[in-house]
Amino acid sequence: MNIALFILTAAFLLFSLMLLLLPFYPTWREWKYPSDDTALEFSNAAQSQPKTGLSQKMAHVRLSERSTTIEDVAASDSIEIGKGCHFQRLDAPCIYFGANTAPTDSSEPYAALKVLNPGNATRWGKNGLRIVGDFQIPDATFYEGCLIVTGTLSIGDDCLIQGDLKARQGLRVGSRTVIAGAVFCDESIHIQSDSKINGPVLAATQLRIEPKVSIGTTQKPTTVSANHMLVEQDCVIHGTVWARDAGMVKEATT
Amino acid sequence: MIATSSLAKTADATGIKLSQGVSSATVSTADTYPSWASQIASDHAAQPLGFYLILLLSCVVVLMLLYGIRQALFSLNRLYSHSDCIYNRITRGEWPALTVFIAAHNEERVIADCMTALLAADYPSDKLTIVAVNDRSSDGTAKIIDDYVSRFPGRIQAFHRSSGKAGKAAALKDAMQAAQGDVVIVFDADYTPGPALLKQLAAPFFDPEVGAVMGHVVPKNVSTNLLTRMLDLERSAGYQVDQQARMNMGLVPQYGGTVGGVRISAVEAVGGWADDVLAEDTDITFRLLIAGWKTVYNNQAHCYEEVPEEWSVRMRQVHRWAKGHNQVMLNQWLGLLTSRFVSLRERIDGLMLMQIFLIQPLLLLGWVMVVAMYYLNSLTLMTLFLPLGLLLFYGALGSFSAFLQMAVAVLLDGHRKRIRLLPIQVLCFCSCLFSVSSALVEVVTDRFTQRELVWHKTARYRKQVSS
């Protein structure tokens, strides 16, 4: 009886030991006979320009109205994309959306900004301000410096902003406003008509661009990107436009 | 037993009803307290030392459980959430003026490769300044740097430092005077950045809220020995899962001191580089966070590094990290708790990140306490403060979640067979226990003794001096 119990106990211990050591067998094999010991590979190449369904060597690319979705298009001179077209990534010195007329320059004088010192503003970096909550810049205002708003930023019409902007919950750029800097938002951006922005313009969710907006310049191309983009007619963007999920040129309503 | 008449009055006053048939003479004080409180009181009276041990052990278990849940959440986030660094979409723009610092102390074996790689970077040359910081090197580092400066005039500058405080942080602090523009990228000399890397690291700085950026460090010498393979797993979990999940969840990605960059105006706004901590990268991460700046982690910004190939080197490295991290914890914890720029989730994650190198000493302490309780015959008190279910949950999740992170990392990397090495990762963990614990002790004693910090350079393994 004792011998039987001893044997049973020994067998159980041996079995338990085997279960404990079993996971180490593949470990030992991988250590002694490595099958996966190379460094993680990644591309060291320079940033890739869009691969294109159309030749990158084309100077001008014209996408007619209501074309099927274009994924990647690049041109060395210009791209014209008609109303109703769907796109993802476009790259060219000039990209015209539903173009009929080029956006016009605004040369209106701008009123000096009165001291921007809302109760919740703090100095930010070299010459910036950080504002907690929502903030509205009145019409016809000049502001120099970067601006970070933790809520929604609304910029009035006919403003001149020299600096980079960041809003966390939404950003609206009024008509005929000029922004000499980057525009970032953790939510959506709405750019109203006739505005000019140097760029880059990046929205985490949606970007809506109204007619006759100009972003970037031929000499200083930039990047415009959002998950979803809706661009209206007569806009021009210089550089790269990237709608990660879907982009569309709005059809005319009349 | 209190006098019957006064008990009766007390019972009436408090509304306690005496059971029918039970005379007031039989009411005892214990019946006026909840049963669990009575249990605690009696256990405390019976085994006071065991009582305090289990109280402390319960705190340790709860803390470990919180970290286990945190790591598990990160793993789940990486498995089921979409990760997208929107700054990677910036392919065109007016790129900011960039200064790249190469930190070098006795790096003759590796620095030439680093400089060559940076010269080939895809970045507007008129916006790029490369500064090789020679920090009191006694080997051929200075000669190699000067040779490159003469061969590539205007593209590489030399900053030779022959005196001053020891350490990378002090060297960078002094070298900042050579910075041009508002953005600085830092590389250690053993890194070989790819052509696209500088743009990937510079892109987030278009966002005026970004104060620092960190790339994805990948070990190159993986196949050397078992240690390098284990460190590869560890790095993979740390970057592919931990850093990226923190970025996805709006928590606290960390600037790692190399393959990363900072905005100079942000650093100046928070008081500049600290040269009295071993982990200047962790220090600047938290100071920027406390002041409201964001740190961005870019998982696509890869760069190769050399990991230690010897256990002694590894122990020193971990010791330095742990000591530096704990220094930052002691310096910055109050600022993080009281900052008005930090969201609640950032505050919680920041505190947990600060205390990450306390886990191993606490684990060691827990083991010691359990053994002590065994010999004090107090193990029966184990469930006094913790329900059994919670202990079992800790047993299942607490230790498992760290390995889950590694498993998720190898899955995402596409190197699935490395998962076979997971069981032996325990060896790596246990080897660091005493190193990390001693670092904590040193940090505390250094506070009292005011001892100056000592910087131990990590050994390099490349065999030939490149030219």
Side-chain angles (χ1 to χ4, degrees):
Chain A
M1 187 69 171
N2 283 341
I3 293 172
L5 190 62
F6 174 77
I7 292 171
L8 206 63
T9 306
F12 174 75
L13 285 173
L14 206 63
F15 179 67
S16 301
L17 190 65
M18 202 179 70
L19 281 180
L20 279 172
L21 292 178
L22 202 59
F24 287 90
Y25 173 69
T27 304
W28 176 81
R29 275 207 65 95
E30 183 59 34
W31 173 24
K32 286 299 180 189
Y33 309 104
S35 60
D36 185 8
D37 64 345
T38 54
L40 181 70
E41 286 165 10
F42 51 84
S43 170
N44 271 327
Q47 282 181 320
S48 59
Q49 295 306 312
K51 301 180 191 61
T52 175
L54 301 174
S55 167
Q56 266 185 298
K57 294 192 177 148
M58 291 184 72
H60 300 280
V61 174
R62 191 173 202 182
L63 304 167
S64 59
E65 297 180 10
R66 298 189 202 90
S67 296
T68 53
T69 302
I70 305 299
E71 287 189 359
D72 261 328
V73 176
S76 58
D77 202 347
S78 68
I79 296 173
E80 288 181 35
I81 179 164
K83 301 185 195 95
C85 283
H86 295 257
F87 62 89
Q88 259 193 325
R89 190 155 67 164
L90 309 168
D91 181 84
C94 297
I95 304 171
Y96 300 101
F97 292 85
N100 289 319
T101 55
T104 52
D105 277 336
S106 174
S107 54
E108 297 286 335
Y110 296 95
L113 180 69
K114 290 188 174 57
V115 175
L116 241 190
N117 195 15
N120 53 359
T122 50
R123 300 301 306 173
W124 189 258
K126 273 185 192 164
N127 58 351
L129 286 178
R130 184 180 188 273
I131 295 166
V132 175
D134 299 341
F135 187 66
Q136 190 165 355
I137 296 178
D139 294 348
T141 303
F142 169 75
Y143 172 69
E144 188 174 7
C146 68
L147 190 62
I148 290 121
V149 173
T150 64
T152 302
L153 173 62
S154 181
I155 305 170
D157 300 340
D158 303 300
C159 293
L160 174 59
I161 312 289
Q162 289 185 346
D164 302 326
L165 304 176
K166 167 75 179 283
R168 293 207 193 150
Q169 294 181 15
L171 199 154
R172 186 187 70 84
V173 177
S175 299
R176 299 175 301 281
T177 285
V178 174
I179 299 174
V183 176
F184 284 85
C185 186
D186 293 341
E187 295 287 338
S188 63
I189 297 176
H190 179 190
I191 304 172
Q192 291 184 303
S193 58
D194 285 295
S195 292
K196 288 184 74 171
I197 302 175
N198 278 12
V201 177
L202 246 68
T205 56
Q206 292 177 344
L207 173 60
R208 182 178 167 193
I209 304 176
E210 286 192 3
K212 299 194 178 180
V213 166
S214 170
I215 303 178
T217 64
T218 316
Q219 293 78 30
K220 295 178 181 178
T222 189
T223 302
V224 177
S225 182
N227 287 358
H228 296 94
M229 286 178 63
L230 179 67
V231 185
E232 299 194 29
Q233 64 191 26
D234 301 330
C235 293
V236 59
I237 296 174
H238 303 274
T240 302
V241 175
W242 191 350
R244 202 201 69 177
D245 293 335
M248 194 176 93
V249 183
K250 189 178 177 186
E251 294 236 35
T253 49
T254 53
Chain B
M1 298 285 284
I2 298 173
T4 308
S5 59
S6 63
L7 247 188
K9 284 178 191 170
T10 307
D12 287 340
T14 57
I16 297 172
K17 293 182 182 174
L18 300 177
S19 321
Q20 196 170 15
V22 175
S23 70
S24 58
T26 62
V27 173
S28 71
T29 54
D31 288 342
T32 63
Y33 295 101
S35 59
W36 57 265
S38 306
Q39 179 68 36
I40 289 174
S42 67
D43 286 335
H44 175 257
Q47 300 178 73
L49 185 56
F51 177 86
Y52 289 118
L53 279 177
I54 190 59
L55 183 62
L56 200 56
L57 186 62
S58 302
C59 296
V60 171
V61 168
V62 167
L63 191 64
M64 302 289 283
L65 191 60
L66 288 174
Y67 274 95
I69 292 170
R70 175 178 180 262
Q71 287 180 310
L73 283 175
F74 288 170
S75 302
L76 292 173
N77 176 273
R78 286 298 281 127
L79 282 174
Y80 298 111
S81 285
H82 180 76
S83 304
D84 179 28
C85 183
I86 63 169
Y87 304 106
N88 277 338
R89 301 180 201 172
I90 299 175
T91 53
R92 293 192 191 275
E94 201 173 344
W95 294 97
L98 200 66
T99 305
V100 178
F101 285 120
I102 309 170
H105 173 67
N106 292 340
E107 304 280 10
E108 63 174 2
R109 287 183 174 189
V110 298
I111 191 166
D113 288 344
C114 184
M115 287 190 289
T116 303
L118 284 169
L119 286 167
D122 173 27
Y123 203 86
S125 54
D126 58 328
K127 297 279 183 77
L128 178 62
T129 307
I130 301 170
V131 180
V133 180
N134 166 32
D135 182 25
R136 301 161 301 124
S137 299
S138 55
D139 63 357
T141 301
K143 187 168 174 300
I144 295 171
I145 291 173
D146 289 338
D147 177 53
Y148 267 74
V149 169
S150 61
R151 281 162 56 192
F152 302 98
R155 297 200 64 196
I156 294 188
Q157 296 176 19
F159 184 88
H160 295 291
R161 189 171 177 261
S162 54
S163 61
K165 266 189 174 180
K168 183 176 162 185
L172 284 176
K173 193 175 177 181
D174 289 347
M176 278 293 163
Q177 58 188 278
Q180 293 175 27
D182 199 29
V183 179
V184 155
I185 306 286
V186 179
F187 287 101
D188 285 350
D190 60 321
Y191 287 75
T192 47
L197 186 59
L198 289 186
K199 279 188 176 175
Q200 287 171 323
L201 294 177
F205 289 104
F206 281 109
D207 182 342
E209 204 176 12
V210 171
V213 68
M214 181 63 198
H216 182 168
V217 173
V218 177
K220 189 165 189 179
N221 53 337
V222 179
S223 58
T224 304
N225 54 31
L226 184 63
L227 173 61
T228 57
R229 299 202 67 190
M230 289 196 290
L231 292 180
D232 174 57
L233 281 181
E234 192 182 278
R235 294 286 197 271
S236 191
Y239 286 97
Q240 183 69 273
V241 177
D242 212 87
Q243 284 269 57
Q244 181 63 58
R246 281 187 264 143
M247 184 68 193
N248 291 348
M249 296 165 78
L251 300 175
V252 185
Q254 187 177 345
Y255 166 66
T258 181
V259 192
V262 292
R263 191 188 295 270
I264 295 177
S265 54
V267 171
E268 286 171 356
V270 299
W273 293 102
D275 56 8
D276 56 350
V277 289
L278 283 173
E280 79 289 346
D281 46 0
T282 309
D283 179 75
I284 205 69
T285 300
F286 281 99
R287 284 198 282 128
L288 289 173
L289 174 69
I290 289 166
W293 296 88
K294 297 296 171 207
T295 298
V296 168
Y297 169 69
N298 188 346
N299 201 37
Q300 306 303 317
H302 297 98
C303 189
Y304 285 124
E305 68 152 352
E306 275 191 354
V307 292
E309 295 177 1
E310 294 156 5
W311 283 100
S312 57
V313 175
R314 159 69 177 168
M315 294 301 108
R316 277 204 298 276
Q317 187 183 59
V318 166
H319 184 92
R320 188 179 80 235
W321 288 351
K323 191 170 176 181
H325 216 92
N326 291 331
Q327 285 173 330
V328 171
M329 179 188 65
L330 293 177
N331 292 343
Q332 307 294 342
W333 71 272
L334 188 61
L336 182 61
L337 272 181
T338 55
S339 168
R340 56 194 174 97
F341 297 108
V342 177
S343 65
L344 178 62
R345 57 167 68 186
E346 283 173 332
R347 211 183 302 273
I348 293 171
D349 185 61
L351 283 171
M352 294 185 83
L353 179 61
M354 260 184 187
Q355 296 166 43
I356 199 81
F357 281 100
L358 293 183
I359 294 302
Q360 278 140 326
L362 281 177
L363 193 65
L364 209 55
L365 180 68
W367 291 346
V368 168
M369 282 194 291
V370 167
V371 169
M373 285 179 63
Y374 171 78
Y375 285 105
L376 288 172
N377 209 20
S378 306
L379 282 177
T380 50
L381 299 177
M382 191 66 84
T383 55
L384 187 60
F385 295 108
L386 295 174
L388 185 63
L390 196 65
L391 279 173
L392 291 173
F393 183 58
Y394 166 70
L397 180 71
S399 307
F400 171 69
S401 51
F403 298 100
L404 175 64
Q405 265 198 355
M406 289 183 200
V408 170
V410 300
L411 178 73
L412 293 171
D413 280 344
H415 285 248
R416 295 183 181 212
K417 289 180 183 172
R418 291 174 196 208
I419 204 170
R420 297 171 186 172
L421 293 171
L422 266 190
I424 212 167
Q425 202 66 23
V426 169
L427 182 66
C428 206
F429 176 79
C430 291
S431 67
C432 298
L433 269 178
F434 295 101
S435 193
V436 171
S437 302
S438 68
L440 176 63
V441 170
E442 277 186 31
V443 163
V444 173
T445 53
D446 284 354
R447 289 250 152 180
F448 292 105
T449 60
Q450 300 291 315
R451 191 173 71 159
E452 191 146 320
L453 66 87
V454 176
W455 185 276
H456 292 289
K457 197 190 119 45
T458 306
R460 305 294 179 215
Y461 302 96
R462 258 175 255 179
K463 293 290 181 263
Q464 292 179 1
V465 175
S466 304
S467 57

